[in-house]
């Protein structure tokens, strides 16, 4: 069974709305950040692994644009885009991946653990599904203190087969917690196509088992993602409980490191590249004569990413004396 493409991008067919330049800028910042990380990795400057998100930018950008700064977000090891979209500074993200002292976690977490609590990015998690209960906990905290903040967990299609997914949805629904569960369905879990691990076509259907709305959205249409997220966040904020959203998208690169992704059927990547989220929004902006034009937005984002990388490259290595600081259970 071939992987089906998402239906035509319905919201963008009507042209790009106001605010489109900001969404495009954020997607370009993430795309260029990821391309740069790939380059740094091949130059041997990144220790450990990397899991990049080129092609998936519309999901985290559309989602985080629907949040306020005090709302919280958790994500996976493929989380550079989500953490940037939630507001973490580019230079500190680069610094973390390069293992520098000025990185988000002092250079001790690396690519899979970007975290910036100051912007509500509560953590990237390398264990599949581990962060869903964390978002449920953040939602419980918000609810207990009457803060009105919403928490969002962004996770992969593969995570919907993990026990913590089912436990989290169940508890969040029973307690009507202000949380949004957002599936970034990129069609694969590592090297396995979704259909080989999952017996249903629409992951959003799983919401029915937990008595919450299940929404499907074209995850390459940033405006559509934003709209469905805004509705889910609004429900959560007024105490109507959680929503499960499935955003259909595609990872344009391999699972991690230098995975050439040769397991993908011929033509599949090209079909998805034709629906690249950045191209879709840029075309809609051009058609509507948007100002600034998409080319200017790309140029500004490129300059910003370059400058951030230069600052990160100038950051010092962590001080060896700090090696036991922040380590759980270590003597002070
Ligand atoms: C609990 C657990 N089991 C297995 C793994 C190994 N693993 C790493 S990534 C991955 C695939 C996850 O796929 P998905 O949730 O779709 O996320 P994607 O990588 O596609 O973004 C697996 C099985 C893990 N990290 N954690
Ligand atoms: Mg996946």
């Amino acid at each position: 069974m071939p992987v089906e493409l998402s239906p035509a991008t319905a919201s963008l067919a009507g042209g790009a709305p106001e605010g489109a330049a900001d969404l495009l800028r954020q997607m370009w910042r993430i795309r260029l950040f990821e391309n740069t990380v790939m380059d740094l990795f091949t130059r041997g400057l990144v220790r450990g692994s990397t899991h990049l998100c080129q092609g998936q930018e519309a999901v985290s950008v559309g989602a985080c644009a629907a949040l306020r700064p005090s709302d919280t977000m958790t994500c996976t090891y493929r989380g550079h885009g989500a953490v940037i979209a939630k507001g973490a500074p580019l230079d500190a993200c680069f610094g973390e991946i390069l293992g520098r002292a000025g990185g988000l976690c002092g250079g001790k977490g690396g690519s899979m653990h970007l975290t910036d609590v100051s912007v509500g990015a509560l953590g990237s998690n390398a264990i599949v599904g581990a962060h869903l209960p964390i978002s449920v906990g953040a939602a419980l905290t918000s609810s207990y203190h009457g803060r009105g903040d919403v928490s969002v967990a962004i996770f992969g299609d593969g995570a919907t087969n993990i026990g913590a997914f089912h436990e989290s949805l169940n508890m969040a629904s029973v307690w009507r917690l202000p949380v949004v569960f957002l599936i970034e369905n990129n069609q694969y879990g590592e090297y396995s196509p979704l259909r080989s691990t999952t017996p249903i076509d629409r992951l959003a259907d799983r919401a029915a088992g937990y008595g919450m709305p299940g929404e499907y959205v074209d995850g390459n249409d940033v405006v559509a993602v934003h709209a469905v997220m805004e509705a889910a966040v609004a429900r959560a904020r007024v105490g109507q409980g959680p929503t499960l959203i499935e955003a259909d998208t595609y990872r344009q690169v391999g699972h991690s490191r230098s995975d050439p992704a040769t397991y993908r059927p011929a033509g599949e990547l090209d079909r998805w590249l034709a629906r690249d989220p950045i191209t879709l929004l840029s075309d809609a902006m051009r058609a509507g004569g948007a100002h600034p034009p998409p080319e200017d937005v790309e140029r500004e984002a490129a300059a910003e990413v370059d400058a951030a990388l230069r600052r990160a490259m100038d950051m010092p290595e962590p001080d060896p004396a700090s090696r036991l600081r922040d380590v759980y259970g270590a003597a002070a």
Side-chain angles (χ1 to χ4, degrees), residues 30 59-65 67-88 93 104 114-125 131-132 134-136 138-139 149-155 178-180 182 184 229:
I30 295 169
V59 180
S60 51
V61 170
C64 289
L67 301 178
R68 62 191 192 193
S70 56
D71 292 332
T72 59
M73 186 277 305
T74 62
C75 59
T76 74
Y77 45 84
R78 199 180 305 289
H80 304 168
V83 173
I84 292 169
K86 191 68 177 70
C93 290
L104 285 180
L114 298 188
T115 300
D116 187 349
V117 176
S118 72
V119 298
L122 298 189
S124 308
N125 289 263
H131 56 292
L132 279 76
I134 296 173
S135 272
V136 173
D149 291 333
V150 172
S151 77
V152 179
I154 307 179
F155 50 95
V179 53
V180 180
L182 175 56
E184 208 165 29
M229 266 297 292

Side-chain angles (χ1 to χ4, degrees), residues 72-208:
T72 59
M73 186 277 305
T74 62
C75 59
T76 74
Y77 45 84
R78 199 180 305 289
H80 304 168
V83 173
I84 292 169
K86 191 68 177 70
L90 292 177
D91 52 0
C93 290
F94 272 135
E96 186 57 37
I97 292 167
L98 289 164
R100 303 299 169 96
L104 285 180
C105 308
K108 293 177 177 177
S111 167
M112 290 201 273
H113 302 105
L114 298 188
T115 300
D116 187 349
V117 176
S118 72
V119 298
L122 298 189
S124 308
N125 289 263
I127 305 301
V128 173
H131 56 292
L132 279 76
I134 296 173
S135 272
V136 173
L140 177 60
T141 304
S142 168
S143 165
Y144 183 82
H145 292 290
R147 290 182 187 147
D149 291 333
V150 172
S151 77
V152 179
I154 307 179
F155 50 95
D157 41 282
T160 66
N161 292 325
I162 290 278
F165 165 86
H166 300 276
E167 295 171 31
S168 297
L169 267 68
N170 191 64
M171 181 176 277
S173 189
V174 168
W175 289 352
R176 291 174 89 77
L177 295 177
V179 53
V180 180
F181 299 101
L182 175 56
I183 308 167
E184 208 165 29
N185 181 0
N186 63 8
Q187 319 299 328
Y188 287 87
E190 287 193 303
Y191 322 112
S192 306
L194 181 62
R195 65 184 173 280
S196 72
T197 59
T198 307
I200 53 171
D201 290 331
R202 275 280 173 266
L203 300 176
D205 290 348
R206 290 194 161 166

Side-chain angles (χ1 to χ4, degrees), residues 49 51 78 187-197 251 253-265:
S49 191
H51 304 75
R78 199 180 305 289
Q187 319 299 328
Y188 287 87
E190 287 193 303
Y191 322 112
S192 306
L194 181 62
R195 65 184 173 280
S196 72
T197 59
R251 85 168 138 67
V253 296
H255 167 70
S256 65
R257 299 188 198 187
S258 50
D259 167 25
T262 47
Y263 44 83
R264 300 195 285 209

Side-chain angles (χ1 to χ4, degrees), residues 6-19:
S6 313
T9 305
S11 80
L12 292 176
E18 214 177 306

